[in-house]
Amino acid sequence: MTTIPNKEIPNKKIPNKSAEQVAYKINEFFETIQGEGSFTGQPSIFIRLQGCPVGCSWCDTKHTWDIELSEQVNAETMIVKTQETPQWANLTASQLLEWVKQEGYQAKHIVITGGEPCMVDLTPLCETFEQQGYSTQIETSGTFEIKATKQCWVTVSPKINMRGGYKILASAMQRANEIKHPIATEQHVDELKALLVQHHIVDTAIYIQPISQKKRATELAIASCIANNWRLSVQVHKYLGIE
Ligand code: SF4
């Protein structure tokens, strides 16, 4: 089995490539309701990229971590899969747009997620959809340089001290339109506070998300939101039982 080492992929320069030239490793795309952060409730098309070296122990998309060549499939196979699998397909931004239209999706908001989508340049992907009247959003761990259009909404969910050893980048914290932080313990709250001080974050909207739907995590999230004037994000899709 051949694995593309994740650490060779980050920050690879792809100068001035167009929507036809840049291929993205797509794990899945689907239409649903955004359940987190500022866009909660917004019909959205999620585009999930394959590959993430960050190594969060509680990650709920571990099947996106590795890029195995043996798991590469064609677009038709990727689109009809119903299980969470590490299968991925290479698609350019133009091809993705075509598929989105072909599937008849009505949502006009694109959420680019992963995996860690910022291991690659997302500018052509954002541009392609924005030129067609879509708004775009990236969900990232903040550990890779964010390459996207200016108007793209960036959600940084800072993954602090994870197994992969990646640091949160100052550029990612500055670029963030919102910061969304999953918490389970007081330590997670303290880590966020320290990060906000370290990067002089004052005006950015802060969303606190219970790491699970358990009572303890939810109560801690509510208490820390009230104490710090942060906002609560409760992963509405999980309560609704949708993807
Ligand atoms: S950054 Fe996201 S995809 Fe990567 S390990 Fe953490 S939660 Fe999972």
Side-chain angles (χ1 to χ4, degrees):
M1 192 174 286
T2 310
T3 304
I4 302 173
N6 276 323
K7 291 194 178 179
E8 285 181 11
I9 298 165
N11 303 330
K12 195 175 169 190
K13 284 270 178 232
I14 310 173
N16 302 323
K17 285 201 171 176
S18 70
E20 285 76 30
Q21 291 172 296
V22 182
Y24 295 95
K25 294 176 170 48
I26 308 298
N27 176 276
E28 62 176 343
F29 69 84
F30 55 93
E31 188 175 44
T32 186
I33 299 287
Q34 169 62 289
E36 303 179 1
S38 300
F39 283 93
T40 296
Q42 174 94 28
S44 304
I45 298 161
F46 276 68
I47 298 175
R48 189 181 304 287
L49 271 64
Q50 188 74 20
C52 180
V54 177
C56 308
S57 56
W58 40 262
C59 175
D60 58 4
T61 54
K62 286 182 176 157
H63 59 286
T64 67
W65 285 10
D66 296 321
I67 302 172
E68 306 279 4
L69 288 179
S70 59
E71 297 288 358
Q72 184 174 5
V73 295
N74 59 27
E76 288 79 2
T77 306
M78 184 269 295
I79 284 156
V80 297
K81 72 177 181 177
T82 53
Q83 306 283 326
E84 291 182 346
T85 76
Q87 289 180 325
W88 55 274
N90 250 337
L91 286 177
T92 64
S94 303
Q95 288 171 321
L96 266 166
L97 178 64
E98 262 174 52
W99 274 106
V100 162
K101 290 190 169 167
Q102 195 168 311
E103 293 294 299
Y105 293 158
Q106 297 301 307
K108 283 291 183 184
H109 184 66
I110 303 290
V111 181
I112 305 166
T113 188
E116 173 43 74
C118 290
M119 289 197 299
V120 294
D121 186 351
L122 298 170
T123 313
L125 187 51
C126 295
E127 277 173 350
T128 299
F129 280 95
E130 286 165 6
Q131 282 161 8
Q132 296 289 316
Y134 293 83
S135 54
T136 60
Q137 177 181 6
I138 293 170
E139 295 182 335
T140 175
S141 62
T143 55
F144 288 84
E145 191 187 337
I146 299 162
K147 292 174 225 145
T149 53
K150 262 192 183 157
Q151 57 268 45
C152 176
W153 182 272
V154 174
T155 303
V156 171
S157 183
K159 301 302 189 302
I160 305 163
N161 296 330
M162 294 300 162
R163 223 169 23 208
Y166 288 81
K167 299 272 177 249
I168 308 299
L169 300 184
S171 61
M173 292 297 285
Q174 296 305 325
R175 175 64 180 82
N177 296 99
E178 64 181 7
I179 293 167
K180 189 180 64 185
H181 195 54
I183 64 162
T185 65
E186 291 284 356
Q187 187 191 334
H188 296 142
V189 177
D190 293 342
E191 284 172 345
L192 176 63
K193 282 182 183 170
L195 193 71
L196 297 178
V197 170
Q198 181 189 349
H199 295 288
H200 314 290
I201 303 296
V202 179
D203 295 330
T204 312
I206 310 293
Y207 282 88
I208 295 299
Q209 197 161 279
I211 220 160
S212 70
Q213 283 67 57
K214 289 185 182 150
K215 196 169 173 223
R216 187 170 170 272
T218 304
E219 284 176 352
L220 177 62
I222 292 169
S224 55
C225 283
I226 291 171
N228 296 285
N229 203 23
W230 293 334
R231 302 177 191 183
L232 185 68
S233 174
V234 290
Q235 295 188 292
V236 166
H237 53 292
K238 294 200 175 165
Y239 289 89
L240 296 175
I242 57 177
E243 193 171 6

